[in-house]
Amino acid sequence: MSRTAAEIATQPACWRRAAEEAARFTAAPRPGERVAVVGCGTSWFMAQSYAALREAAGQGTTDAFAASEFPRSRAVGAYDRVVALTRSGTTTEVLELLALVRAAGTATVALTADPATPVMTAADEVAVLDWADEESVVQTRFATTALAFLRATLGDLPGLASVPRAADDAERAVTEPLPRPLLTAGQWTFLGCGWAYGLAQEAALKMREAAGAWTESYPAMEYRHGPIAITAPGRVTWLFGESPAGLADDVHRVGGHFEHHPATDPLADLIRAQRLAVTLAESQGQNPDRPRNLTRSVVLATGDGQD
Protein backbone atom coordinates (compact mmCIF):
# COMPACT_ATOMS: atom_id res chain seq x y z
CA MET A 1 0.00 0.00 0.00
CA SER A 2 1.27 3.47 -0.89
CA ARG A 3 1.62 6.07 1.84
CA THR A 4 -1.11 8.09 0.14
CA ALA A 5 -3.52 5.14 0.27
CA ALA A 6 -2.76 4.62 3.95
CA GLU A 7 -3.45 8.29 4.70
CA ILE A 8 -6.70 8.21 2.75
CA ALA A 9 -7.92 5.34 4.94
CA THR A 10 -7.46 7.39 8.14
CA GLN A 11 -9.93 10.12 7.19
CA PRO A 12 -12.97 8.85 9.12
CA ALA A 13 -11.04 9.01 12.39
CA CYS A 14 -9.57 12.40 11.49
CA TRP A 15 -13.02 13.87 10.83
CA ARG A 16 -14.37 12.65 14.14
CA ARG A 17 -11.49 14.29 15.96
CA ALA A 18 -11.99 17.46 13.90
CA ALA A 19 -15.60 17.65 15.06
CA GLU A 20 -14.51 17.31 18.69
CA GLU A 21 -11.82 19.98 18.44
CA ALA A 22 -14.02 22.37 16.47
CA ALA A 23 -16.45 22.42 19.38
CA ARG A 24 -13.67 23.94 21.52
CA PHE A 25 -12.32 26.39 18.94
CA THR A 26 -13.33 29.96 19.80
CA ALA A 27 -11.80 31.85 16.86
CA ALA A 28 -14.11 30.55 14.11
CA PRO A 29 -16.11 33.14 12.17
CA ARG A 30 -19.15 34.33 14.09
CA PRO A 31 -22.66 34.54 12.60
CA GLY A 32 -23.10 37.83 10.81
CA GLU A 33 -19.43 38.46 10.12
CA ARG A 34 -18.24 39.15 6.59
CA VAL A 35 -15.60 36.53 5.88
CA ALA A 36 -13.05 35.73 3.19
CA VAL A 37 -11.48 32.26 3.02
CA VAL A 38 -8.22 31.79 1.13
CA GLY A 39 -5.84 29.04 0.14
CA CYS A 40 -3.76 27.69 -2.74
CA GLY A 41 -4.44 24.58 -4.80
CA THR A 42 -6.37 22.01 -2.79
CA SER A 43 -6.77 24.47 0.09
CA TRP A 44 -8.51 26.91 -2.25
CA PHE A 45 -11.06 24.26 -3.22
CA MET A 46 -11.75 23.47 0.44
CA ALA A 47 -12.15 27.21 1.00
CA GLN A 48 -14.76 27.30 -1.76
CA SER A 49 -16.76 24.51 -0.13
CA TYR A 50 -16.67 26.08 3.33
CA ALA A 51 -17.62 29.50 1.97
CA ALA A 52 -20.64 28.04 0.17
CA LEU A 53 -21.71 26.12 3.29
CA ARG A 54 -21.43 29.13 5.58
CA GLU A 55 -23.32 31.49 3.30
CA ALA A 56 -26.03 28.93 2.54
CA ALA A 57 -26.47 28.49 6.30
CA GLY A 58 -27.30 32.20 6.59
CA GLN A 59 -24.26 32.97 8.74
CA GLY A 60 -23.00 35.85 6.63
CA THR A 61 -21.36 36.86 3.38
CA THR A 62 -18.50 34.46 2.73
CA ASP A 63 -16.14 34.71 -0.25
CA ALA A 64 -13.39 32.30 -1.29
CA PHE A 65 -10.25 33.24 -3.17
CA ALA A 66 -7.02 31.74 -4.34
CA ALA A 67 -4.67 33.71 -2.09
CA SER A 68 -2.88 35.19 -5.11
CA GLU A 69 -6.21 36.49 -6.48
CA PHE A 70 -7.55 38.19 -3.34
CA PRO A 71 -8.69 41.68 -4.44
CA ARG A 72 -6.26 44.12 -2.85
CA SER A 73 -9.01 46.74 -2.95
CA ARG A 74 -10.77 44.70 -0.24
CA ALA A 75 -7.81 44.52 2.10
CA VAL A 76 -9.16 47.38 4.21
CA GLY A 77 -12.63 47.15 5.71
CA ALA A 78 -14.29 44.70 3.34
CA TYR A 79 -14.15 41.71 5.72
CA ASP A 80 -14.41 41.20 9.45
CA ARG A 81 -12.28 38.06 9.34
CA VAL A 82 -9.97 36.30 6.89
CA VAL A 83 -9.52 32.52 7.23
CA ALA A 84 -6.47 30.94 5.60
CA LEU A 85 -5.86 27.26 4.90
CA THR A 86 -2.24 26.17 4.49
CA ARG A 87 -1.04 22.65 5.13
CA SER A 88 2.65 23.57 5.07
CA GLY A 89 2.28 26.87 6.92
CA THR A 90 4.82 28.37 4.51
CA THR A 91 2.69 29.32 1.51
CA THR A 92 4.06 32.58 0.17
CA GLU A 93 0.80 34.02 -1.12
CA VAL A 94 -1.04 33.18 2.10
CA LEU A 95 1.61 34.68 4.37
CA GLU A 96 1.76 37.88 2.34
CA LEU A 97 -2.01 38.21 2.32
CA LEU A 98 -2.29 37.62 6.07
CA ALA A 99 0.27 40.36 6.65
CA LEU A 100 -1.65 42.74 4.39
CA VAL A 101 -5.10 42.33 5.94
CA ARG A 102 -3.79 42.03 9.48
CA ALA A 103 -2.00 45.38 9.12
CA ALA A 104 -5.37 46.82 8.11
CA GLY A 105 -6.92 45.60 11.36
CA THR A 106 -8.82 42.58 10.03
CA ALA A 107 -8.97 39.53 12.31
CA THR A 108 -7.11 36.55 10.85
CA VAL A 109 -7.38 32.81 11.45
CA ALA A 110 -5.26 30.04 9.93
CA LEU A 111 -5.58 26.26 9.74
CA THR A 112 -2.30 24.41 9.33
CA ALA A 113 -0.69 21.02 9.82
CA ASP A 114 2.70 22.27 10.99
CA PRO A 115 3.08 24.30 14.20
CA ALA A 116 6.75 25.03 13.49
CA THR A 117 6.15 27.32 10.52
CA PRO A 118 5.73 31.08 9.89
CA VAL A 119 1.93 30.96 9.80
CA MET A 120 1.90 30.52 13.58
CA THR A 121 2.85 34.19 13.99
CA ALA A 122 1.33 35.44 10.72
CA ALA A 123 -2.26 34.96 11.94
CA ASP A 124 -4.02 36.14 15.09
CA GLU A 125 -5.39 32.66 15.81
CA VAL A 126 -4.27 29.26 14.50
CA ALA A 127 -5.93 25.85 14.54
CA VAL A 128 -3.17 23.24 14.35
CA LEU A 129 -4.35 19.97 12.83
CA ASP A 130 -0.95 18.28 13.02
CA TRP A 131 -2.57 14.92 13.66
CA ALA A 132 -3.96 15.11 10.11
CA ASP A 133 -0.64 16.03 8.46
CA GLU A 134 0.67 13.91 5.60
CA GLU A 135 3.91 12.50 4.30
CA SER A 136 2.54 12.27 0.79
CA VAL A 137 2.98 15.22 -1.54
CA VAL A 138 -0.65 14.91 -2.64
CA GLN A 139 -3.10 16.34 -0.11
CA THR A 140 -5.94 14.08 0.97
CA ARG A 141 -6.67 13.81 4.70
CA PHE A 142 -5.45 17.24 5.78
CA ALA A 143 -7.66 18.98 3.23
CA THR A 144 -10.81 17.05 4.07
CA THR A 145 -10.12 17.29 7.80
CA ALA A 146 -9.72 21.06 7.56
CA LEU A 147 -13.06 21.26 5.77
CA ALA A 148 -14.67 18.91 8.30
CA PHE A 149 -13.33 21.14 11.10
CA LEU A 150 -14.73 24.31 9.55
CA ARG A 151 -18.01 22.58 8.70
CA ALA A 152 -18.38 21.48 12.31
CA THR A 153 -17.98 25.08 13.54
CA LEU A 154 -21.17 25.95 11.64
CA GLY A 155 -23.33 23.74 13.83
CA ASP A 156 -26.40 22.00 12.47
CA LEU A 157 -26.80 22.57 8.73
CA PRO A 158 -30.19 22.07 7.06
CA GLY A 159 -30.18 19.10 4.70
CA LEU A 160 -26.68 18.02 5.70
CA ALA A 161 -25.61 15.39 8.22
CA SER A 162 -23.27 16.10 11.12
CA VAL A 163 -19.54 15.58 10.61
CA PRO A 164 -19.55 12.35 12.70
CA ARG A 165 -22.33 11.02 10.45
CA ALA A 166 -20.25 11.98 7.41
CA ALA A 167 -17.39 9.99 8.97
CA ASP A 168 -19.69 6.95 9.08
CA ASP A 169 -20.20 7.32 5.32
CA ALA A 170 -16.44 7.73 4.95
CA GLU A 171 -15.87 4.36 6.61
CA ARG A 172 -17.81 2.75 3.77
CA ALA A 173 -16.17 4.88 1.08
CA VAL A 174 -12.74 3.73 2.24
CA THR A 175 -13.51 0.04 1.72
CA GLU A 176 -16.23 -0.34 -0.93
CA PRO A 177 -15.00 -1.65 -4.31
CA LEU A 178 -14.70 0.95 -7.04
CA PRO A 179 -17.07 0.33 -9.99
CA ARG A 180 -15.33 -1.06 -13.05
CA PRO A 181 -16.45 1.78 -15.40
CA LEU A 182 -14.45 4.20 -13.24
CA LEU A 183 -11.32 2.08 -13.51
CA THR A 184 -11.47 1.57 -17.28
CA ALA A 185 -12.53 5.07 -18.39
CA GLY A 186 -10.32 7.34 -20.44
CA GLN A 187 -11.73 10.65 -19.19
CA TRP A 188 -13.56 11.89 -16.08
CA THR A 189 -15.70 15.01 -15.58
CA PHE A 190 -16.60 15.99 -12.00
CA LEU A 191 -19.65 18.10 -11.19
CA GLY A 192 -21.17 19.63 -8.06
CA CYS A 193 -23.76 22.16 -6.91
CA GLY A 194 -23.22 24.67 -4.13
CA TRP A 195 -20.60 23.55 -1.62
CA ALA A 196 -20.08 20.30 -3.57
CA TYR A 197 -18.60 22.22 -6.50
CA GLY A 198 -15.39 22.72 -4.50
CA LEU A 199 -15.30 18.96 -3.95
CA ALA A 200 -15.67 18.40 -7.71
CA GLN A 201 -12.75 20.74 -8.31
CA GLU A 202 -10.66 18.84 -5.79
CA ALA A 203 -11.57 15.42 -7.23
CA ALA A 204 -10.39 16.51 -10.66
CA LEU A 205 -7.18 17.91 -9.21
CA LYS A 206 -6.43 14.66 -7.36
CA MET A 207 -6.82 12.68 -10.58
CA ARG A 208 -4.47 15.04 -12.42
CA GLU A 209 -1.89 15.15 -9.62
CA ALA A 210 -1.68 11.47 -8.73
CA ALA A 211 -2.51 9.78 -12.03
CA GLY A 212 -1.88 12.41 -14.70
CA ALA A 213 -5.46 11.78 -15.84
CA TRP A 214 -7.59 13.84 -18.22
CA THR A 215 -10.16 15.37 -15.91
CA GLU A 216 -12.40 18.42 -15.89
CA SER A 217 -14.73 19.98 -13.30
CA TYR A 218 -17.73 22.29 -13.51
CA PRO A 219 -20.77 23.49 -11.59
CA ALA A 220 -23.42 20.87 -12.30
CA MET A 221 -25.82 23.22 -14.07
CA GLU A 222 -23.02 24.36 -16.39
CA TYR A 223 -22.56 20.83 -17.73
CA ARG A 224 -25.18 21.30 -20.46
CA HIS A 225 -23.56 24.59 -21.55
CA GLY A 226 -20.64 22.99 -23.35
CA PRO A 227 -18.91 20.34 -21.20
CA ILE A 228 -21.40 17.66 -22.25
CA ALA A 229 -19.68 17.74 -25.63
CA ILE A 230 -16.79 15.70 -24.17
CA THR A 231 -19.07 12.95 -22.84
CA ALA A 232 -19.01 9.66 -24.74
CA PRO A 233 -18.78 5.89 -24.22
CA GLY A 234 -15.78 5.09 -22.04
CA ARG A 235 -15.95 8.42 -20.25
CA VAL A 236 -17.31 9.24 -16.78
CA THR A 237 -19.46 12.07 -15.46
CA TRP A 238 -19.29 12.02 -11.66
CA LEU A 239 -21.68 14.17 -9.64
CA PHE A 240 -21.18 15.19 -6.00
CA GLY A 241 -24.29 16.09 -4.03
CA GLU A 242 -27.77 16.76 -5.37
CA SER A 243 -28.49 16.09 -9.03
CA PRO A 244 -30.22 18.61 -11.29
CA ALA A 245 -33.31 17.16 -12.93
CA GLY A 246 -32.56 15.19 -16.08
CA LEU A 247 -28.78 15.25 -15.71
CA ALA A 248 -28.35 11.46 -15.51
CA ASP A 249 -30.53 11.03 -18.60
CA ASP A 250 -28.42 13.55 -20.51
CA VAL A 251 -25.24 11.62 -19.70
CA HIS A 252 -26.72 8.27 -20.63
CA ARG A 253 -28.17 9.68 -23.86
CA VAL A 254 -24.68 10.43 -25.20
CA GLY A 255 -23.23 7.13 -23.97
CA GLY A 256 -21.35 8.27 -20.85
CA HIS A 257 -21.21 6.58 -17.45
CA PHE A 258 -23.01 8.57 -14.74
CA GLU A 259 -21.55 8.12 -11.25
CA HIS A 260 -23.62 9.43 -8.35
CA HIS A 261 -24.03 8.39 -4.72
CA PRO A 262 -27.00 10.41 -3.43
CA ALA A 263 -27.16 8.53 -0.12
CA THR A 264 -23.50 9.32 0.67
CA ASP A 265 -22.27 12.56 2.19
CA PRO A 266 -20.46 14.41 -0.65
CA LEU A 267 -17.31 14.83 1.44
CA ALA A 268 -17.20 11.06 1.94
CA ASP A 269 -17.79 10.54 -1.77
CA LEU A 270 -14.61 12.52 -2.41
CA ILE A 271 -12.71 9.66 -0.77
CA ARG A 272 -13.76 7.40 -3.64
CA ALA A 273 -12.21 9.84 -6.11
CA GLN A 274 -9.01 9.94 -4.03
CA ARG A 275 -8.86 6.15 -4.06
CA LEU A 276 -9.48 6.07 -7.79
CA ALA A 277 -6.60 8.47 -8.41
CA VAL A 278 -4.23 6.29 -6.39
CA THR A 279 -5.45 3.07 -8.02
CA LEU A 280 -4.98 4.48 -11.53
CA ALA A 281 -1.52 5.80 -10.69
CA GLU A 282 -0.41 2.43 -9.36
CA SER A 283 -1.86 0.58 -12.36
CA GLN A 284 0.29 2.77 -14.61
CA GLY A 285 3.45 2.12 -12.59
CA GLN A 286 3.45 5.63 -11.09
CA ASN A 287 4.19 6.43 -7.47
CA PRO A 288 1.23 8.36 -6.02
CA ASP A 289 3.37 9.41 -3.05
CA ARG A 290 5.75 11.27 -5.35
CA PRO A 291 3.74 12.48 -8.34
CA ARG A 292 5.39 13.81 -11.46
CA ASN A 293 6.42 17.49 -11.43
CA LEU A 294 5.19 18.11 -7.87
CA THR A 295 6.78 18.66 -4.49
CA ARG A 296 5.15 19.17 -1.08
CA SER A 297 6.24 22.80 -1.02
CA VAL A 298 7.39 24.99 -3.92
CA VAL A 299 10.06 27.49 -2.90
CA LEU A 300 9.47 30.87 -4.51
CA ALA A 301 11.99 33.64 -4.94
CA THR A 302 9.75 36.04 -3.03
CA GLY A 303 9.02 33.86 -0.03
CA ASP A 304 9.10 30.53 1.74
CA GLY A 305 6.87 28.12 -0.13
CA GLN A 306 3.55 27.09 -1.54
CA ASP A 307 1.14 24.24 -0.78
Side-chain angles (χ1 to χ4, degrees):
M1 179 183 292
S2 67
R3 186 60 192 162
T4 306
E7 289 169 348
I8 288 171
T10 66
Q11 287 173 103
C14 287
W15 298 359
R16 293 187 180 105
R17 180 167 176 179
E20 294 172 357
E21 300 208 2
R24 299 188 291 270
F25 189 63
T26 59
R30 302 180 181 94
E33 286 187 333
R34 297 162 299 163
V35 175
V37 196
V38 301
C40 299
T42 287
S43 294
W44 174 35
F45 299 144
M46 298 299 101
Q48 289 178 342
S49 288
Y50 168 65
L53 281 173
R54 183 175 185 270
E55 187 144 335
Q59 295 200 18
T61 298
T62 317
D63 298 322
F65 300 100
S68 59
E69 295 298 316
F70 184 91
R72 267 38 185 182
S73 62
R74 301 189 192 181
V76 179
Y79 297 104
D80 300 305
R81 194 176 303 262
V82 170
V83 179
L85 281 68
T86 170
R87 176 179 66 168
S88 71
T90 61
T91 311
T92 303
E93 299 98 305
V94 169
L95 295 176
E96 291 178 349
L97 178 58
L98 287 173
L100 178 68
V101 298
R102 196 179 185 188
T106 301
T108 55
V109 180
L111 276 68
T112 189
D114 191 343
T117 56
V119 77
M120 296 299 295
T121 55
D124 298 316
E125 302 284 349
V126 183
V128 178
L129 312 180
D130 50 356
W131 37 270
D133 199 1
E134 298 150 327
E135 295 179 17
S136 176
V137 169
V138 173
Q139 281 202 61
T140 55
R141 73 178 179 192
F142 175 76
T144 63
T145 300
L147 179 54
F149 181 95
L150 290 171
R151 173 174 159 179
T153 66
L154 298 174
D156 294 334
L157 298 171
L160 198 62
S162 67
V163 170
R165 287 287 299 278
D168 293 341
D169 284 353
E171 294 279 8
R172 292 184 287 274
V174 164
T175 59
E176 289 177 347
L178 295 170
R180 181 169 176 77
L182 301 183
L183 298 168
T184 59
Q187 189 274 339
W188 300 260
T189 297
F190 297 94
L191 308 175
C193 294
W195 79 284
Y197 173 51
L199 304 181
Q201 296 259 66
E202 172 59 8
L205 180 63
K206 285 288 94 61
M207 294 281 284
R208 289 192 288 266
E209 287 180 330
W214 174 17
T215 62
E216 301 179 7
S217 54
Y218 303 95
M221 289 298 289
E222 286 296 307
Y223 177 72
R224 299 178 178 95
H225 296 275
I228 192 173
I230 206 63
T231 308
R235 296 177 180 174
V236 170
T237 301
W238 188 330
L239 175 71
F240 292 93
E242 296 183 7
S243 179
L247 182 62
D249 291 338
D250 289 340
V251 174
H252 294 146
R253 176 173 52 81
V254 294
H257 172 79
F258 186 68
E259 188 74 12
H260 185 215
H261 303 97
T264 299
D265 190 283
L267 187 58
D269 201 21
L270 177 60
I271 290 177
R272 293 188 175 97
Q274 295 171 342
R275 290 177 55 213
L276 177 62
V278 170
T279 299
L280 292 175
E282 292 173 342
S283 70
Q284 299 164 6
Q286 301 177 28
N287 180 359
D289 295 344
R290 295 291 180 266
R292 182 177 57 190
N293 303 333
L294 296 178
T295 59
R296 177 181 166 91
S297 180
V298 178
V299 177
L300 304 179
T302 56
D304 295 300
Q306 176 177 306
D307 282 349

